[in-house]
């Protein structure tokens, strides 16, 4: 089974990469571009029962793939 | 030459990608006649006679995932956590500070500098109010110590900041030579200008600036000497 974990900075935390990319793209003349948010996408392949796999994905996302101080995450079965 | 710290056993953890380990070895030998015990990250226990631990700067595990994140789950960190839980003194510098926050031995996180630049320059550190051994030893003056980081913006939410302030856990703040904080004296956008903090028991200290690089007037500043000495005085 494959699972996707998307990790992103909390809205109140400055996304320096997103800001840099947005500003560079706006310099090209794309003035309708209002913001860019950079996220991380992890794809995890997991063996075992689906119910256990889901628990494991959530645990890994919560404890390791995201840092709850500054980030949030979402998980999805692919 | 002997020093009052001559018999003190201090360990230094080396991760793949640590690169300030030799600077620490040099500084402790030259300043205090202490030979740091080098501990590879794959060790699962610490030398029994150890009374203090240093996590050095560098780019452990290539900063993969997040700075300090993979180092925080390397084998030796279980032993480091147990050491800290028993009241052991731990000093984390730069990447070492990032490892301490990722290990939850210190609160908060270190994020990319708001300027988006890697910053390598001297900072002036003011000592915030607090009652830890570090605060008592270092208060009433400022320290000229270099920073060298791309991800040193200390972040904690408003509630976490209140807690740090209420507990006197903020140790160093980026200021000017007189210790005054202003918008011009915050190199990386850190919350409340925070450059270094201590744990609730005052024994675990993390700081982004490099005291081991400010250990000789010949190199521009010896102000880091007092900070390293304060670490040694917390070792009991």
């Amino acid at each position: 089974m494959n699972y996707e974990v998307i990790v992103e900075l909390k809205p109140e935390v400055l996304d320096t990469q997103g800001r840099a990319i947005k500003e560079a793209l706006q310099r090209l003349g794309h003035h309708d571009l209002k913001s860019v948010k950079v996220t991380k996408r992890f794809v995890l392949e997991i063996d075992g029962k689906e119910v256990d796999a889901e628990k494991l994905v959530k645990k890994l996302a919560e404890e390791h793939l995201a840092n709850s101080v500054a980030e949030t995450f979402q998980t999805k079965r692919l | 030459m002997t020093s009052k710290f001559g018999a003190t056993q201090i360990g230094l953890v080396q991760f793949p990608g640590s690169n300030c380990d030799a600077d620490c070895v040099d500084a402790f030998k030259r300043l205090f006649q202490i030979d740091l015990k080098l501990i590879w990250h794959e060790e699962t226990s610490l030398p029994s006679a150890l009374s203090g631990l240093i996590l050095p700067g560098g780019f452990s595990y290539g900063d993969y995932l997040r700075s300090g994140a993979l180092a925080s789950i390397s084998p030796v960190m279980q032993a480091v956590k147990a050491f800290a839980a028993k009241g052991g003194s731990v000093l984390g510098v730069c990447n070492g500070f990032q490892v301490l926050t990722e290990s939850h031995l210190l609160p908060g996180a270190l994020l990319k500098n708001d300027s988006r630049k890697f910053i390598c320059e001297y900072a002036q550190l003011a000592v915030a109010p607090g009652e830890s051994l570090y605060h008592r030893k270092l208060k009433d003056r400022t320290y000229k110590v270099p920073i060298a980081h791309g991800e040193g913006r200390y972040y904690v939410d408003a509630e976490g900041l209140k807690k740090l302030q209420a507990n006197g856990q903020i140790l160093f703040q980026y200021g000017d030579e007189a210790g005054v904080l202003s918008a011009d004296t915050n190199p990386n956008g850190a919350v409340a200008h925070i450059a270094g903090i201590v744990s609730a028991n005052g024994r675990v200290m993390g700081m982004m600036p490099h005291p081991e690089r400010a250990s000789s007037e010949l190199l521009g500043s010896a102000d880091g000497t007092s900070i390293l000495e304060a670490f040694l005085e917390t070792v009991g």
Side-chain angles (χ1 to χ4, degrees):
Chain A
M1 287 163 284
N2 284 340
Y3 289 85
E4 173 188 85
V5 179
I6 304 269
V7 174
E8 63 183 55
L9 287 168
K10 290 179 180 173
E12 65 270 28
V13 178
L14 173 66
D15 175 3
T16 53
Q17 292 186 91
R19 192 177 69 178
I21 294 164
K22 179 196 75 175
E23 288 171 6
L25 295 177
Q26 284 175 336
R27 273 200 301 276
L28 294 177
H30 303 297
H31 300 298
D32 286 341
L33 176 69
K34 289 301 166 208
S35 72
V36 174
K37 176 183 277 186
V38 176
T39 66
K40 292 184 209 171
R41 176 175 183 263
F42 302 85
V43 176
L44 313 183
E45 187 183 350
I46 300 194
D47 281 340
K49 287 189 204 149
E50 186 171 350
V51 56
D52 296 331
E54 271 175 21
K55 268 189 208 152
L56 179 59
V57 169
K58 287 230 160 64
K59 179 180 163 66
L60 294 177
E62 199 170 346
E63 294 179 9
H64 301 293
L65 299 180
N67 179 341
S68 62
V69 174
E71 296 171 325
T72 58
F73 68 88
Q74 292 172 313
T75 63
K76 191 169 92 179
R77 170 92 190 261
L78 294 178
Chain B
M1 199 165 83
T2 56
S3 95
K4 61 176 169 169
F5 302 115
T8 310
Q9 303 258 320
I10 306 290
L12 178 139
V13 179
Q14 292 175 303
F15 300 101
S18 294
N19 66 9
C20 299
D21 38 354
D23 306 52
C24 288
V25 169
D26 165 69
F28 278 84
K29 179 76 182 163
R30 192 163 34 79
L31 300 170
F32 311 115
Q33 293 75 54
I34 292 176
D35 289 308
L36 297 182
K37 312 280 174 228
L38 303 182
I39 301 161
W40 186 232
H41 72 115
E42 288 177 339
E43 298 292 337
T44 51
S45 62
L46 302 172
S48 56
L50 220 55
S51 44
L53 261 181
I54 298 168
L55 306 185
F59 298 86
S60 56
Y61 295 84
D63 278 354
Y64 291 173
L65 188 58
R66 294 175 305 275
S67 307
L70 297 184
S72 77
I73 51 173
S74 67
V76 75
M77 287 309 296
Q78 287 303 328
V80 173
K81 285 180 189 173
F83 180 78
K86 283 189 291 184
S89 291
V90 184
L91 168 64
V93 172
C94 199
N95 187 227
F97 185 13
Q98 294 163 338
V99 175
L100 289 173
T101 58
E102 284 286 346
S103 305
H104 308 296
L105 286 171
L106 289 174
L110 282 313
L111 306 178
K112 285 185 198 303
N113 300 339
D114 65 349
S115 65
R116 294 168 280 179
K117 291 175 186 154
F118 187 98
I119 307 170
C120 188
E121 63 186 26
Y122 277 104
Q124 294 286 345
L125 307 180
V127 178
E131 291 302 321
S132 77
L133 282 170
Y134 282 103
H135 288 88
R136 278 182 269 155
K137 160 91 181 164
L138 299 169
K139 66 181 179 183
D140 297 333
R141 58 161 289 197
T142 60
Y143 298 85
K144 181 186 172 190
V145 182
I147 54 172
H149 59 243
E151 301 187 9
R153 173 171 49 116
Y154 184 79
Y155 176 78
V156 69
D157 64 16
E159 198 182 316
L161 178 62
K162 266 191 207 151
K163 222 166 152 183
L164 286 177
Q165 288 166 331
N167 294 342
Q169 285 180 255
I170 301 172
L171 179 60
F172 294 120
Q173 291 172 297
Y174 300 108
D176 64 13
E177 286 176 21
V180 178
L181 315 185
S182 72
D184 295 336
T185 67
N186 192 345
N188 53 26
V191 163
H193 293 233
I194 289 174
I197 59 173
V198 294
S199 56
N201 73 356
R203 302 282 173 170
V204 179
M205 194 269 268
M207 61 189 292
M208 287 312 297
H210 287 269
E212 79 283 4
R213 293 191 195 176
S215 60
S216 164
E217 289 293 351
L218 280 174
L219 297 177
S221 172
D223 288 359
T225 307
S226 310
I227 298 169
L228 299 179
E229 198 169 311
F231 160 66
L232 290 174
E233 289 184 4
T234 68
V235 168

